[in-house]
Amino acid sequence: MAAAHTPRESAHAAALGVRQALGGSFAAISKWERELGKLRVLVNVGELADGEEEFPDDESYPVHEFPEIVDFLHEQWAGGGEPSAWVERAEGPPSGPAPTGPEGGGCVNPQRVAALRRRGRGCCVVAPIVLHGRAWGELYVARRTGEQVFGRADADFASVLAAVTAAGIAQTERLAEARRLAFTDSLTGLANRRAVDMRLDEALELHRGDGTVVSLVVCDLNGLKRVNDSRGHAVGDRLLERFGSVLSLCGAMLPGMLAARLGGDEFCLLAVGPPADEVVKVAGELCDRAGELDLGEGVAVGVASTGDPIGPVRSARRLFRLADAAQYKAKAARSGEPVVAGRHGGKDDPVVRLADAPDRRTGPERRRFRR
């Protein structure tokens, strides 16, 4: 689990480990999704029954069918104790609670018993996975019919393994959060420049390989300085957040579009695959919606797409320069519509020629082209 890079990899490593440690034929790790009221299976390993998949897309069960997760377990540690595992047996009683006994019994669940019988398993041990004092999910290990039934010692060992699993999951979640923060703008919640650079490099690799259309929409929010100077930076931040929401909404109009804040008042949309005309349509919608914000003065938008006649695009810097040049022209003209590189004369388009020209500007305008 320590070597896992994603929560799924971590859960897979845990399931493999606990199955081996407990001598089971099958193991699963599930997560309690409180907001949906479901116990969702993340991974199944070992001998899979009909309908089971190693990484199921949507194998989940209503939590009300497993009251021990939300009620029984809470009762076990409400007084400050630790949650303990229990054993279910296919030959056990069909319903009703069972007192804790030498074989690890603690709560007989008719749904679990029925599932054991249906899948040809004789018994299972279930251990709650607890993170930060709350039930996070469960560890589940089963044995075939006819094999030795899990006992009290197995249940105790499963509780220890669940604690180790919880520690590994907590570490993976911390790493995932660190990665998320590294690629997220803290104010707007959009992707940041680092995320755009990585996605754009990958997209251009596809473009060079099979001609996949890659389009970049660069936006400069008008009037932010005036808002900051006249109404304060808190109001300016609110304008940035509101525009970020508009950008995210427009980005959702095309599948897989990445919405990002590059820094300051600069934002962008990155599309990989959709035709250039569809991207330009989204850029136009963005201009319209930004103009309706009660703060600011609209937005200047420039578009550059490999689907338009802009010449070869061999680097991310080239596409950024083209989109930036188009956005610069839109801003200078106070255009309420996007300016699209290559659409006013192909390679002789003034925007394309502007992006190709030596960069002799200074100050903020020069920094705009340093991609």
Side-chain angles (χ1 to χ4, degrees):
M1 295 182 74
H5 295 288
T6 66
R8 188 172 82 162
E9 290 178 4
S10 183
H12 186 250
L16 289 172
V18 299
R19 173 178 174 253
Q20 181 179 11
L22 286 165
S25 62
F26 171 85
I29 301 292
S30 303
K31 182 177 181 179
W32 177 18
E33 296 183 334
R34 282 178 165 80
E35 69 279 9
L36 300 177
K38 293 182 178 181
L39 193 66
R40 182 168 64 90
V41 179
L42 301 180
V43 61
N44 296 309
V45 300
E47 298 175 4
L48 305 184
D50 290 343
E52 290 178 331
E53 299 177 356
E54 185 173 21
F55 296 107
D57 290 329
D58 187 26
E59 183 184 352
S60 59
Y61 305 92
V63 172
H64 71 260
E65 294 183 359
F66 302 94
E68 67 271 17
I69 292 296
V70 291
D71 296 327
F72 177 79
L73 294 182
H74 281 297
E75 290 298 320
Q76 297 301 299
W77 75 76
E82 292 295 325
S84 59
W86 66 93
V87 173
E88 301 277 9
R89 305 173 60 166
E91 61 188 44
S95 62
T100 300
E103 293 188 343
C107 182
V108 173
N109 182 300
Q111 283 80 15
R112 292 191 194 274
V113 171
L116 286 171
R117 294 170 178 168
R118 186 171 63 251
R119 292 166 177 164
R121 294 165 185 154
C123 64
C124 67
V125 60
V126 185
I129 298 173
V130 181
L131 259 64
H132 315 301
R134 302 177 68 188
W136 180 91
E138 70 170 33
L139 176 158
Y140 177 101
V141 183
R143 287 177 177 167
R144 305 180 196 90
T145 299
E147 292 186 341
Q148 183 178 353
V149 174
F150 288 114
R152 179 71 264 167
D154 296 311
D156 291 341
F157 188 28
S159 296
V160 174
L161 293 173
V164 174
T165 298
I169 290 171
Q171 172 182 283
T172 306
E173 290 188 344
R174 285 194 296 269
L175 291 174
E177 177 66 8
R179 284 192 291 269
R180 186 190 69 79
L181 293 173
F183 293 100
T184 304
D185 175 64
S186 59
L187 177 64
T188 63
L190 301 174
N192 62 14
R193 179 56 191 267
R194 184 182 292 108
V196 173
D197 286 342
M198 288 187 63
R199 180 75 66 85
L200 185 53
D201 286 340
E202 294 170 355
L204 290 177
E205 281 291 328
L206 289 175
H207 172 68
R208 287 188 287 268
D210 59 13
T212 298
V213 175
V214 181
S215 305
L216 189 65
V217 180
V218 172
C219 321
D220 193 288
L221 190 57
N222 297 326
L224 178 63
K225 185 177 186 304
R226 180 189 59 79
V227 171
N228 282 336
D229 291 346
S230 63
R231 304 182 65 176
H233 286 273
V235 178
D237 285 350
R238 190 158 72 246
L239 171 59
L240 290 169
E241 290 177 300
R242 289 181 180 177
F243 179 72
S245 297
V246 169
L247 187 74
S248 179
L249 185 151
C250 291
M253 295 177 179
L254 289 178
M257 209 173 202
L258 180 69
R261 182 186 179 202
L262 301 174
D265 56 3
E266 289 190 348
F267 295 77
C268 82
L269 291 170
L270 174 60
V272 183
D277 285 345
E278 293 187 14
V279 176
V280 172
K281 184 178 179 180
V282 169
E285 181 73 15
L286 178 62
C287 288
D288 293 341
R289 289 178 179 269
E292 296 172 358
L293 292 174
D294 57 351
L295 296 170
E297 301 166 7
V299 65
V301 176
V303 183
S305 174
T306 62
D308 285 323
I310 57 176
V313 177
R314 299 187 178 91
S315 68
R317 185 172 184 272
R318 167 69 176 162
L319 198 63
F320 255 117
R321 283 177 64 87
L322 286 164
D324 245 344
Q327 183 272 124
Y328 178 74
K329 184 175 181 181
K331 196 173 190 71
R334 296 184 178 276
S335 174
E337 298 179 350
V339 172
V340 185
R343 296 213 171 183
H344 299 91
K347 294 181 182 179
D348 293 326
D349 188 316
V351 173
V352 177
R353 294 167 68 182
L354 173 62
D356 286 335
D359 192 359
R360 296 190 177 90
R361 287 172 295 171
T362 59
E365 292 180 4
R366 180 176 178 83
R367 287 196 296 275
R368 179 185 301 282
F369 282 80
R370 287 184 176 175
R371 301 294 183 188

